[in-house]
């Protein structure tokens, strides 16, 4: 299914493009829908694409040597993914799966590469994104090196609020316990028990699908190993 120029204009990466370039993209891109938990892109694929999330939520995941899945990052509507393989032509370093029912617009790698290299504003944005991804992966590796899953969860909770948000202690559209467990290399049951403790001691409060961090300094102290987790 072709992608309308009006839809493409909703993606921040593409907004600097002139109308002619946007029209060319409209004819070259295509939409696909994915059920929850289905594979969007496998790291084994040889056909690279640049993907733009129209609706839903995606998660980058990989697997440990013992076969346990580890969540690396989320892709939210308006965001893009697959840029590393588009730029260097090498396989993806992780799988991308649908965390929720999702719709994705795809652009094949040769066209995406030509677009990025011919548009300085896009090239700068993609370079900044890849630098951010490196920092995110570094932080994730540091998190996974912590010995205590409660401590790892506290670190992750401090990372989840969006940096540009006017409410730095608000976590919107909170990932599921299973998704959080994948990101800290723990079981879903461990995450559920940790949340029960955090709610009981009023470290957090939940409103619908949002979380409010009420005691940031105490969570930060646990995250940094300066304080022990509270007792249930």
């Amino acid at each position: 299914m072709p992608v309308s120029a009006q839809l493409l204009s909703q993606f921040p990466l593409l907004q600097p493009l002139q109308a002619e370039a946007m029209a060319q993209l409209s004819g070259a891109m295509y939409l696909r829908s994915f059920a929850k938990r289905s594979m969007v892109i496998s790291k084994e694929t040889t056909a690279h694409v640049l993907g733009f999330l129209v609706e839903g939520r995606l998660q980058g995941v990989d697997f440990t040597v013992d076969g346990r899945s580890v969540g690396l990052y989320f892709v939210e509507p308006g965001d893009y993914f697959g840029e590393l393989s588009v730029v260097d032509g090498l396989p993806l370093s992780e799988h991308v799966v649908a965390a929720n029912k999702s719709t994705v617009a795809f652009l094949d790698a040769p066209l995406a590469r030509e677009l990025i290299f011919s548009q300085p504003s896009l090239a700068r944005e993609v370079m900044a994104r890849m630098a951010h991804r490196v920092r995110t992966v570094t932080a994730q590796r540091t998190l996974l090196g912590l010995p205590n899953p409660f401590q790892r969860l506290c670190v992750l909770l401090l990372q989840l609020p969006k940096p540009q948000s006017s409410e730095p202690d608000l976590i919107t559209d909170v990932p599921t316990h299973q998704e959080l467990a994948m990101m800290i290399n723990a079981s879903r049951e461990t995450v559920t028990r940790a949340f029960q403790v955090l709610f009981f001691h009023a470290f957090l409060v939940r409103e619908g699908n949002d979380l409010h961090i009420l005691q940031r300094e105490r969570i930060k102290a646990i995250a940094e190993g300066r304080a022990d987790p509270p007792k249930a």
Side-chain angles (χ1 to χ4, degrees):
M1 180 187 301
V3 185
S4 70
Q6 182 179 7
L7 177 60
L8 295 181
S9 67
Q10 299 177 18
F11 295 104
L13 178 68
L14 303 179
Q15 288 172 356
L17 296 179
Q18 299 295 322
E20 181 179 356
M22 196 72 83
Q24 291 176 346
L25 277 183
S26 176
M29 295 180 70
Y30 52 95
L31 289 174
R32 284 191 60 191
S33 295
F34 297 89
K36 184 176 181 179
R37 304 196 189 285
S38 62
M39 183 72 69
V40 177
I41 301 180
S42 167
K43 63 187 294 185
E44 279 83 30
T45 186
T46 56
H48 304 314
V49 291
L50 185 63
F52 295 83
L53 183 58
V54 178
E55 59 182 358
R57 174 186 260 173
L58 310 179
Q59 187 175 27
V61 301
D62 205 354
F63 296 91
T64 61
V65 292
D66 60 357
R68 178 176 292 188
S69 57
V70 177
L72 302 175
Y73 58 84
F74 288 105
V75 181
E76 305 290 350
D79 205 354
Y80 61 94
F81 60 96
E83 69 279 0
L84 184 61
S85 292
V86 166
V87 170
D88 65 12
L90 298 176
L92 286 171
S93 55
E94 71 282 329
H95 305 282
V96 179
V97 301
N100 297 323
K101 181 180 178 182
S102 301
T103 302
V104 180
F106 288 110
L107 180 64
D108 290 335
L111 294 174
R113 191 177 303 114
E114 180 182 352
L115 175 69
I116 293 169
F117 291 168
S118 66
Q119 299 283 340
S121 62
L122 267 67
R124 286 194 296 271
E125 164 61 27
V126 171
M127 287 175 62
R129 160 56 64 82
M130 289 194 290
H132 173 72
R133 191 78 82 201
V134 169
R135 293 180 185 275
T136 300
V137 170
T138 300
Q140 182 74 3
R141 286 179 176 174
T142 301
L143 180 155
L144 293 174
L146 297 173
N148 187 297
F150 199 109
Q151 185 182 10
R152 295 199 295 270
L153 179 62
C154 287
V155 173
L156 183 58
L157 288 172
L158 296 175
Q159 295 175 352
L160 284 176
K162 295 179 174 59
Q164 69 275 17
S165 173
S166 60
E167 298 185 62
D169 292 329
L170 173 65
I171 305 172
T172 58
D173 196 18
V174 180
T176 66
H177 289 189
Q178 181 60 46
E179 291 165 350
L180 293 171
M182 289 169 59
M183 298 186 78
I184 66 170
N185 196 20
S187 69
R188 181 182 59 79
E189 292 76 14
T190 297
V191 170
T192 298
R193 287 194 298 269
F195 269 114
Q196 289 171 347
V197 173
L198 291 169
F199 290 140
F200 178 78
H201 289 277
F203 282 48
L204 305 169
V205 65
R206 188 173 194 120
E207 293 183 2
N209 205 30
D210 297 342
L211 279 179
H212 293 267
I213 299 175
L214 301 181
Q215 300 190 51
R216 168 174 284 272
E217 289 306 314
R218 294 185 67 183
I219 291 177
K220 185 177 180 182
I222 297 170
E224 294 175 352
R226 295 184 284 109
D228 293 328
K231 302 298 182 182

